[in-house]
Amino acid sequence: MIDLHYWPTPNGHKITMFLEETGVPYRLVAVNIGTGDQFKPEFLKIAPNNRMPAIVDHEPLQGGAPISIFESGAILLYLAEKTGRFLPKDIRGRVDVLQWLFWQVGGLGPMAGQNHHFVQYAPEKLQYAMDRYVNETNRLYGVLNKRLADHEFIAGEYSIADMASYPWIVPHEKQQQNLDDFPHLKRWFHAIKQRPATARAYEKGKTVRPEVPPAMTEAERKVLFGQTAANVK
């Protein structure tokens, strides 16, 4: 059994997508990031960066004490190696998946995240910041579209690289991106959306957060965007 400390955000959806694809037994532990659950001492013990998702594997492959893992890319890699699924065993295939996994965690996720922040959440609408991150998101969509022109999935076969990227494309309209401008990406996006495991993963999110409020409260804004080093002591 794996405990998944989770909230239905793009990074959270990555892990439920993998777990639903593989059928690994897991238990959702809600981490309400709007109320500050991510700063609780018990959560910081397994996720020192006070960010979800994080997992605790109570039955690691080599036995012994439970293993805790934080950071979504590290979790996907750990689960792929544990199950032998969605990560090629040959060196070339493995490298291909890993470089695109790291492309997502180092590029698409952070840049789209800043896009979300300045376009949707920032109290001041700073045109330079909005243009910077909307344009960079657009560039990254272009990179992915070019890759998918001659690949069914990002690294050939469906893999953890796809599971990492897909949730960050789901909010494409909020990111001010038009999928019609990226036909290969659009084809890939709908292929993943139609997978039964993807649908189940997104339904899991509704069990911990049935409704998404229309706007962020001031209290939530302070929790999400007003933290300093004092919050991790």
Side-chain angles (χ1 to χ4, degrees):
M1 175 65 70
I2 286 176
D3 289 337
L4 170 57
H5 296 259
Y6 163 92
W7 198 243
T9 69
N11 286 335
H13 292 311
K14 297 177 187 179
I15 313 306
T16 50
M17 286 176 66
F18 184 97
L19 293 170
E20 290 296 330
E21 287 281 356
T22 56
V24 173
Y26 69 101
R27 178 175 71 99
L28 285 182
V29 181
V31 180
N32 189 330
I33 60 176
T35 59
D37 286 352
Q38 67 272 36
F39 298 106
K40 292 180 177 178
E42 58 269 28
F43 182 69
L44 286 171
K45 288 180 180 179
I46 61 172
N49 193 38
N50 53 271
R51 295 288 186 272
M52 66 88 230
I55 67 168
V56 178
D57 184 358
H58 294 279
E59 296 181 355
L61 279 178
Q62 298 179 3
I67 294 177
S68 62
I69 305 102
F70 70 102
E71 289 296 325
S72 60
I75 295 168
L76 285 173
L77 179 56
Y78 174 86
L79 291 173
E81 291 180 334
K82 176 184 172 75
T83 61
R85 302 282 303 280
F86 301 110
L87 178 64
K89 293 180 172 57
D90 68 283
I91 185 63
R92 289 174 176 80
R94 180 183 173 88
V95 166
D96 214 12
V97 168
L98 292 182
Q99 65 185 354
W100 283 99
L101 172 65
F102 294 160
W103 172 83
Q104 188 283 313
V105 298
L108 179 61
M111 295 300 101
Q114 293 300 317
N115 178 323
H116 294 177
H117 178 79
F118 285 106
V119 172
Q120 298 177 59
Y121 304 127
E124 295 180 66
K125 297 303 180 185
L126 303 174
Q127 195 62 49
Y128 173 83
M130 291 190 292
D131 290 345
R132 165 74 178 98
Y133 291 110
V134 168
N135 289 342
E136 178 61 6
T137 303
N138 186 265
R139 187 189 72 83
L140 292 164
Y141 273 50
V143 171
L144 190 52
N145 185 67
K146 183 178 180 180
R147 172 67 175 182
L148 290 165
D150 56 1
H151 292 77
E152 181 179 8
F153 295 103
I154 293 176
E157 295 184 0
Y158 190 56
S159 73
I160 55 176
D162 301 286
M163 298 177 202
S165 289
Y166 172 83
W168 282 99
I169 305 297
V170 170
H172 54 89
E173 292 181 351
K174 292 182 178 180
Q175 296 166 7
Q176 299 185 10
Q177 307 301 318
N178 184 351
L179 290 191
D180 289 337
D181 295 336
F182 307 99
H184 308 299
L185 189 157
K186 183 177 182 180
R187 183 266 309 159
W188 165 90
F189 176 81
H190 286 292
I192 296 176
K193 184 177 182 179
Q194 292 167 8
R195 294 177 73 93
T198 302
R200 292 195 302 271
Y202 276 77
E203 284 298 314
K204 288 285 187 180
K206 297 176 183 178
T207 67
V208 299
R209 195 185 193 194
E211 295 183 2
V212 178
M216 182 178 293
T217 67
E218 189 58 33
E220 289 174 325
R221 191 186 305 277
K222 289 180 179 179
V223 168
L224 289 170
F225 308 132
Q227 306 302 327
T228 67
N231 297 97
V232 297
K233 289 183 178 179

